[in-house]
Amino acid sequence: MSTTHKATRSTNDTAETVGTMDWMAAQITMPYTLTPGRATGIFLAELAGRRLIGSRHGDEIIVPAQDYSGSTGEPASDFVEVPPVGTIQAFTTTADGTIALVLVDGSTVPFTHRLLGFEPGVMVVGSRVEAVWADEPTGGMLDLAGFGPLGAAESFEPRPDPAELAAPSERIDYTMTLDYRHAYGPYYGTLFDGIKDGRRIRGVRCSECRRLLLPPRAHCDVCFAPTAEWVDVEATGTVQASSVVHIEFIGQRLKPPYVYAEIVLDGTSTRLIHMVGGVDAEEARTAVAPGARVRAVWSDRHTGSLADIDHFELAPEETP
């Protein structure tokens, strides 16, 4: 999984709680493998030949074909070819286009796909549509590009036992992308603004127990009193725990093996999790043990996040 982000600024700065970075526009991109199953695999494979295949479940005909009925749980008894023609049952329009529930002729369950080629204000519930096929099939759902206004395509009764069904698609490589906004609030906003523009790490002190909290927050997590005082924190600290990561997974900044550690920055009462660099995995078992002293190594990035600290390095000469 990979993540990218950018931040925006506010003009409502105050003397102490600056909070200029209000939100983060982020994107999560996650590649994965889809295994559609036999029935849907046949449906997808047949799209390359410009045929729509449904499955029969008692009195139901479901398009796209399914191994089991979602309403009755009944398995598919056979497959049918249905016409590339249907009726709009519902639709919604967004800035990215129009999505509709289309009931293909002969089927009993509508399915969701996009509408193409309609003039604004022309489409209504009940409009007749026909399949719009991709110019070049790629082996996925968008081989059926969508549905457009009914033209020359003709309807017919579902054809049982369609001849020479294609072998089902067994695996589809897919990428899911999610765009979202994450609101920082004044406490994380102040922290990230200081990191980005001044290479300042700032915590906040509890008004009652005087613990120094990093990341900063509105209330102490031990005595629940409100926090009151911003404090600059040195970028040096002590390892409380560490782990050598050997497993590779999507979204890693470093190729394994590498070292993650729980670090208590000097003067703070909470742990910061970050990477420790400049030490190999075998040496880290003893060198990055609890009690080891470390200091931050700043990167050339100015993203306004903890990623602006590239890593922590061992600093045995540092004293608390």
Side-chain angles (χ1 to χ4, degrees), residues 54-62 65-67 69 74-80 106 158-161:
S55 52
R56 190 185 299 277
H57 308 258
D59 294 332
E60 282 187 321
I61 293 179
I62 301 176
Q66 304 291 307
D67 289 308
S69 166
E74 188 170 347
S77 58
D78 62 357
F79 296 103
V80 297
R159 297 168 179 167
D161 302 319

Side-chain angles (χ1 to χ4, degrees), residues 124-142:
V124 296
V125 172
S127 293
R128 296 284 287 164
V129 293
E130 68 176 54
V132 177
W133 301 101
D135 294 332
E136 294 292 335
T138 60
M141 186 65 184
L142 290 182

Side-chain angles (χ1 to χ4, degrees), residues 5 191-192 194-202 214-215 233-237 253-254 259-261 263-265 272-277 294-314:
H5 71 268
L191 169 67
F192 292 149
I195 287 174
K196 179 179 180 181
D197 295 330
R199 294 318 198 205
R200 299 169 67 191
I201 303 175
R202 306 186 74 196
L214 179 73
V233 177
E234 293 295 326
T236 57
R253 285 176 49 200
L254 296 178
V259 183
Y260 254 1
I263 301 166
V264 178
L265 295 187
L272 185 71
I273 298 177
H274 215 297
M275 289 176 286
V276 176
V294 293
R295 60 171 166 252
V297 176
W298 294 96
S299 74
D300 295 331
R301 298 181 294 271
H302 288 265
T303 64
S305 72
L306 289 177
D308 287 355
I309 299 175
D310 189 75
H311 63 276
F312 282 81
E313 65 180 2
L314 291 171

